[in-house]
Amino acid sequence: MNTTGERKVILHEMSLRDGMHPLRHQMSTAQMVAVACAADEAGIPWIEVSHGDGLGGSSVNYGFAAHDDLDYLRAVVPRMKQAKVSALLLPGIGTVDMLKQAMDCGISGVRIATHCTEADCAEQHIRHAAGTGIDTVGFLMMAHRASPEKLAEQARLMESYGAGTVYCTDSAGYLLPADVTARIGALRDALRPETGVGFHGHNNLGMAIANSLAAVQAGAGRIDGALAGLGAGAGNAATEQLVAVFNRMGIATGVDLFGVQDAAEDLVVPMMERPIRVDRSSLILGYAGVYSSFLLFAERAEQRYGIPARDLLIELGRQGMVGGQEDMIEDLALTMRAKASQQG
Amino acid sequence: MSRKLGALIIGPGNIGTDLLMKMARSEWIEPRWMVGIEPQSEGLKRAAAMGLRTSAQGVAGALPHVLDDDIRIAFDATSAYAHAENARLLNQLGVMMIDLTPAAIGPFCVPPVNLAEHVRAARMNVNMVTCGGQATIPMVAAVSRVQPVDYGEIVASVSSRSVGPGTRRNIDEFTRTTAAAVETVGGARRGKAIIIVNPAEPPLIMRDTVHVLTQGAPDQQKITESVQAMLAEVQKYVPGYRLVNGPVFDDRRVSLFLEVEGLGDFLPKYAGNLDIMTAAALRTAELFAVEAAEGRIALPARGQGGKP
């Protein structure tokens, strides 16, 4: 089933970047190419390819990827017929030098991500990217930790550095539809009309599709999805579900529903090492407001130190840990185990 | 005759002021001048109230007085951009530079690892790497002095309130400079650095994680002993430097989970990141002063201009 008419929402495919988290960043280049080609064939306009934590994310702290970001990009980019490829970059982890290398591999866009209150850490990266003319997106993560007003202020900073689009990124899958409406509305009001607004959801509370709809209705023009939901925690909004729902609503995406369905079922689901679903741990990510990629680390800490992942995640949320502080999970497990043995 | 060396602080911001407060207690370094570029600077006013000579004309304001006031050491807490010229002007007059900017014209200095070597060589410019580097490189070195380290990675988590606009505008300097020093000073064959800015309230104390991958299985007992010895060395100048957890041994991975609480001189105690920079810079200057006083190194010769 093809939708025709003017494209109203731009879908951005996350399975080859956010989907790296549940696969421990071990995707093969062949898998990436197969999924990217199917997504391209189905008409998805943007596909993100990077380590789950962005360029330079390959590390002890976040997990070493099976291949270098540049190898993934070199494999995928030349195969695209219509889709554009983006990379993610978190200042503090990735650098402008890494962005330049990714640009040499032919990326058409970059998304520069900071915690929702720290947009000014992205100035040099956004300025550089915007200066080259590639599609430059500011990505405000853990958006539940900022009020709509604060988020709008930070979005304006990113816009002032040159970002053409700013995202409200629900990294913890914590937001409810009304929270999304308020935040997207605040961004839409605060930013220039020509600046785009986007939304990136996680399904930890089962809200990814509902939140994406709320975002579109509040004025977001770009929505992130992942085939079969392949993303951190309980996954992202499933691309095929987004397309089906947008079709029903008469919102054009330019994406072929059957094409993305088949890609999700035939290519992505078989890659999964575990079902991507709202389970005991991933629900807690959304409930406690914790960065979704903490999931596997908390479960690993449970196995090694005997502290339940759920307890770790709730405490990490209470302490206000932000994206990138994966090291604090093992640290907390050690501290909690020491405390338990003192009391025991 | 005072054995103290006279010092100039360039930059009256948080770092310069914290440095001044620590220096006021030093037995070896005497703060004499502070310069900035804002006439209304609170930092300059505070320094003047503490009896320092000040100028809002930058280094140019202090240059004519360097010899008369016997300034021997300058601490640069400005920017990488400004440092190159500051260093050129002051080195010409025989003033040794301690560089707290990311300029890194001189070699990296992490006191418990390589300060003695720089002092023996009577270096005229040393660079204090970064806050994350000062907090972690001693521990990378504590492992690499036991056995070869293939890879060293550090993660510095700092409170949003303690990260100034200069660092934010140029956060790549942090990752690049720290990673380079993890290799050259820490002794890792390959280095990586990550910085995370956390806005939690109340502010989190600086946390630093060190992950290294050793060549071959880690010698757990020797590494643990070496880490404990290094901890004591850093605590000599940063009493709030603590090993919260670790060493964790997991195959070839050795991980250490550190916390750096500052002294709370000018910056709050959570800002251990700034404190460890100023404490390391002052310790560096003090060792130069001790060695000069003991006659083991010679300060650059000067004419009759200097005070006795």
Side-chain angles (χ1 to χ4, degrees):
Chain A
M1 190 169 91
N2 276 300
T3 52
T4 51
E6 195 187 342
R7 175 176 286 163
K8 296 243 181 65
V9 165
I10 297 170
L11 289 180
H12 205 132
E13 175 57 36
M14 291 294 115
S15 56
L16 305 183
R17 197 279 299 163
D18 215 320
M20 286 284 268
H21 289 297
L23 296 188
R24 300 171 295 116
H25 316 283
Q26 296 303 303
M27 220 177 276
S28 69
T29 46
Q31 286 175 317
M32 277 222 180
V33 168
V35 174
C37 287
D40 181 39
E41 200 65 43
I44 296 181
W46 279 97
I47 300 171
E48 190 150 276
V49 172
S50 316
H51 184 283
D53 296 271
L55 300 173
S58 196
S59 57
V60 172
N61 212 44
Y62 309 122
F64 286 104
H67 301 279
D68 192 273
D69 288 320
L70 304 181
D71 292 333
Y72 288 125
L73 290 168
R74 284 188 198 111
V76 170
V77 171
R79 302 289 298 275
M80 295 300 97
K81 292 176 184 149
Q82 61 79 32
K84 293 174 177 167
V85 174
S86 72
L88 178 73
L89 190 156
L90 278 66
I93 299 174
T95 62
V96 169
D97 288 341
M98 294 173 189
L99 171 59
K100 288 177 183 166
Q101 292 171 341
M103 289 183 64
D104 289 343
C105 298
I107 58 169
S108 306
V110 65
R111 310 203 308 166
I112 314 284
T114 70
H115 186 73
C116 56
T117 55
E118 313 299 322
D120 55 357
C121 291
E123 180 174 351
Q124 71 185 137
H125 311 80
I126 293 178
R127 282 196 193 284
H128 177 82
T132 66
I134 64 169
D135 186 74
T136 305
V137 174
F139 207 62
L140 290 166
M141 301 189 292
M142 296 287 276
H144 71 284
R145 295 260 181 87
S147 67
E149 297 72 32
K150 180 72 180 177
L151 199 67
E153 166 208 298
Q154 296 290 303
R156 270 198 304 269
L157 281 179
M158 286 181 154
E159 181 185 62
S160 76
Y161 307 146
T165 299
V166 182
Y167 262 69
C168 167
T169 305
D170 184 18
S171 317
Y174 179 91
L175 295 175
L176 301 179
D179 305 325
V180 175
T181 302
R183 281 169 177 74
I184 296 293
L187 296 193
R188 197 54 285 163
D189 289 347
L191 299 173
R192 293 194 297 258
E194 64 270 26
T195 301
V197 172
F199 177 77
H200 173 102
H202 278 270
N203 203 37
N204 303 333
L205 293 179
M207 289 290 149
I209 298 292
N211 283 346
S212 300
L213 275 194
V216 169
Q217 285 166 337
R222 292 202 190 191
I223 298 294
D224 287 2
L227 291 164
L230 187 69
N236 298 112
T239 302
E240 62 280 11
Q241 292 174 22
L242 287 172
V243 173
V245 171
F246 287 141
N247 282 355
R248 284 275 315 276
M249 295 177 72
I251 296 169
T253 60
V255 176
D256 174 53
L257 175 60
F258 292 176
V260 285
Q261 275 194 301
D262 292 346
E265 271 336 290
D266 299 337
L267 297 176
V268 177
V269 171
M271 285 163 50
M272 291 182 184
E273 295 179 347
R274 57 187 283 159
I276 303 295
R277 56 178 278 267
V278 184
D279 61 19
R280 181 163 48 194
S281 300
S282 61
L283 175 64
I284 291 300
L285 296 168
Y287 187 69
V290 178
Y291 199 62
S292 291
S293 57
F294 281 16
L295 177 66
L296 267 59
F297 292 83
E299 292 186 343
R300 238 170 266 155
E302 172 175 333
Q303 280 163 18
R304 189 173 167 131
Y305 300 110
I307 307 293
R310 186 160 56 188
D311 296 356
L312 291 169
L313 293 170
I314 286 189
E315 179 60 16
L316 291 160
R318 197 192 61 76
Q319 291 182 3
M321 291 301 160
V322 303
Q325 292 193 279
E326 271 78 346
D327 52 323
M328 291 293 101
I329 301 168
E330 184 170 29
D331 174 71
L332 176 66
L334 286 160
T335 297
M336 287 173 81
R337 188 182 65 169
K339 209 170 277 178
S341 70
Q342 273 167 15
Q343 286 164 354
Chain B
M1 170 184 153
S2 169
R3 302 179 304 172
K4 286 190 179 186
L5 293 187
L8 157 68
I9 299 171
I10 311 164
N14 287 346
I15 292 217
T17 303
D18 195 75
L19 191 54
L20 169 57
M21 289 179 165
K22 286 182 169 54
M23 212 180 289
R25 295 193 296 264
S26 173
E27 289 172 25
W28 292 99
I29 305 294
E30 184 179 307
R32 293 189 184 150
W33 270 88
M34 179 182 269
V35 300
I37 50 171
E38 296 283 340
Q40 298 308 314
S41 154
E42 291 297 323
L44 289 183
K45 287 181 199 163
R46 210 175 288 109
M50 288 175 72
L52 273 70
R53 302 186 71 180
T54 64
S55 167
Q57 307 301 312
V59 165
L63 279 181
H65 309 281
V66 160
L67 297 180
D68 284 349
D69 289 346
D70 200 22
I71 299 298
R72 294 290 183 166
I73 289 197
F75 296 82
D76 195 342
T78 59
S79 67
Y81 178 73
H83 176 71
E85 183 64 1
N86 292 343
R88 194 183 66 79
L89 293 169
L90 286 159
N91 275 172
Q92 274 176 357
L93 295 176
V95 178
M96 188 232 165
M97 295 295 294
I98 296 186
D99 173 18
L100 290 89
T101 80
I105 294 172
F108 293 132
C109 178
V110 178
V113 184
N114 67 357
L115 172 56
E117 178 189 317
H118 292 323
V119 171
R120 271 197 306 275
R123 301 257 188 232
M124 288 302 286
N125 188 330
V126 294
N127 176 273
M128 303 311 296
V129 198
T130 61
C131 60
Q134 289 296 338
T136 57
I137 288 166
M139 289 303 172
V140 178
V143 181
S144 74
R145 71 187 175 186
V146 173
Q147 69 190 93
V149 166
D150 277 338
Y151 176 80
E153 175 181 311
I154 73 97
V155 186
S157 298
V158 292
S159 78
S160 184
R161 283 170 179 268
S162 69
V163 184
T167 304
R168 289 168 183 271
R169 262 196 302 271
N170 206 350
I171 207 154
D172 281 8
E173 291 272 18
F174 176 95
T175 50
R176 212 177 5 242
T177 303
T178 310
V182 164
E183 295 172 1
T184 58
V185 184
R189 209 162 54 80
R190 209 156 57 80
K192 182 172 181 67
I194 294 166
I195 181 169
I196 308 288
V197 181
N198 182 313
E201 290 291 340
L204 300 178
I205 293 176
M206 183 196 204
R207 294 298 310 263
D208 294 278
T209 298
V210 176
H211 301 294
V212 306
L213 300 177
T214 54
Q215 215 174 78
D219 185 330
Q220 301 198 9
Q221 191 188 335
K222 278 193 184 154
I223 288 173
T224 304
E225 285 165 10
S226 177
V227 162
Q228 290 299 334
M230 187 60 83
L231 192 63
E233 282 301 307
V234 179
Q235 284 170 343
K236 285 180 182 168
Y237 57 99
V238 185
Y241 186 72
R242 289 187 285 267
L243 181 63
V244 178
N245 283 304
V248 167
F249 297 98
D250 177 15
D251 193 15
R252 290 197 304 129
R253 171 173 74 102
V254 183
S255 295
L256 299 152
F257 301 90
L258 301 149
E259 176 178 274
V260 187
E261 184 177 52
L263 283 174
D265 282 322
F266 179 63
L267 306 160
K269 288 186 175 179
Y270 61 75
N273 42 321
L274 303 182
D275 201 275
I276 199 167
M277 277 296 268
T278 55
L282 181 57
R283 182 164 180 83
T284 298
E286 285 176 338
L287 192 61
F288 273 91
V290 169
E291 296 296 291
E294 306 281 331
R296 284 192 287 266
I297 58 170
L299 296 173
R302 282 188 178 172
Q304 295 305 304
K307 285 179 186 171

